[in-house]
Amino acid sequence: MSEEDRLPVTALLGFGTMGRALAAGLLAKGLATPKVLRVGARRPDAARAHAEPLELVAMPPDEAARGAEILVLAVKPRDVAGLLQRLREAGALDHHPLVISIAAGVRTASLADQAPGCALVRAMPNTPCAIGKGVTVICAGPGAEAHHLDLARRMFGCLGAVLELDEKHMDTVTGLSGSGPAFIYLVLEAMAEGAVMRGMPRAVALELAARVALGASEMLLATGRHPASLRDDVTTPAGCTIAGLLALEDGRIRSVLARGVETAAKVAGELAS
Ligand SMILES: NC(=O)c1ccc[n+]([C@@H]2O[C@H](COP(=O)([O-])OP(=O)(O)OC[C@H]3O[C@@H](n4cnc5c(N)ncnc54)[C@H](OP(=O)(O)O)[C@@H]3O)[C@@H](O)[C@H]2O)c1
């Protein structure tokens, strides 16, 4: 990758699960080098154990933010206001960097109050980003122009697919694709247990269930067909699949999963308050 295609100086503020996944993806894809990627941590000494294997330097957040063109807020929603206050007081926002927040439930209007004059982008990645198979939804906030969104698209593109939506959908995105991996893990565990009950070794059952989910998802994305139509293909009249599907519908699986996403989305909207 040529020098001009790489990210400008970027500070990752918060180096937990998501901050580390983002750093690993950016470095692996060559979109950033350790020279331009800074780690801003509340406890730099503790962060060093994770930063040094990536050849990154951990420092206090205001030091990391000073002069950086992009700041990524990767702290818990409740920590965003305190972090931005610290940056403001240290003058680390005076150069008006692009601020990309991945914090669930934190609106760009509230970020704009706390980071005046900065261009703001909100993003919602998910944990499969750690292995480059995630999905991130981005949305523009105050001050964000096309080139800012392009930077965010390139940044999260290192970690999987990127979609752009209006901010009004971001809590729903959090409930669907942010929390979604946990829901799928539960479904996979439950499906595997059905096979374990019939005597299949647990590890084989889990691998089979995971590969089924992978194949079915790729089939849906590749064909663009509706899930109901794909389901019809495997549902022979009087066969075993229709018998299994009816048992699932008896357990109200459809509304249970839909309500799970809806409930997670509602809670996401309350996380920052
Ligand atoms: N995990 C997910 O699946 C997921 C998915 C999408 C979006 N998100 C969003 O990503 C954000 C981070 O989540 P996470 O799972 O990575 O959380 P995490 O593992 O708890 O990491 C958060 C990190 O932020 C650090 N921190 C707190 N205050 C700080 C400050 N003032 N300056 C610098 N660092 C500070 C914490 O340091 P200490 O160790 O010192 O507390 C911790 O290392 C959240 O807002 C979440 O909503 C998460």
Side-chain angles (χ1 to χ4, degrees), residues 86-138:
R86 178 172 173 175
L87 298 184
R88 263 192 334 269
E89 286 169 2
L93 297 176
D94 291 353
H95 61 299
H96 298 149
L98 163 63
V99 175
I100 302 178
S101 167
I102 66 166
V106 179
R107 316 252 174 283
T108 58
S110 132
L111 294 171
D113 289 342
Q114 301 166 68
C118 296
L120 298 161
V121 169
R122 201 171 148 190
M124 181 47 56
N126 64 2
T127 48
C129 284
I131 57 160
K133 302 279 185 189
V135 61
T136 303
V137 177
I138 59 171

Side-chain angles (χ1 to χ4, degrees), residues 63-96:
E63 209 177 296
R66 200 161 289 120
E69 286 183 48
I70 305 177
L71 309 185
V72 181
L73 308 184
V75 300
K76 290 287 186 202
R78 62 172 181 272
D79 291 326
V80 168
L83 170 61
L84 287 174
Q85 184 181 355
R86 178 172 173 175
L87 298 184
R88 263 192 334 269
E89 286 169 2
L93 297 176
D94 291 353
H95 61 299
H96 298 149

Side-chain angles (χ1 to χ4, degrees), residues 122 124 165 167-179 261-262 264-266 268-269:
R122 201 171 148 190
M124 181 47 56
L165 278 177
E167 184 164 14
K168 69 180 182 208
H169 296 297
M170 287 307 265
D171 292 336
T172 307
V173 165
T174 307
L176 179 57
S177 62
S179 304
V261 170
E262 189 194 16
K266 276 188 189 148

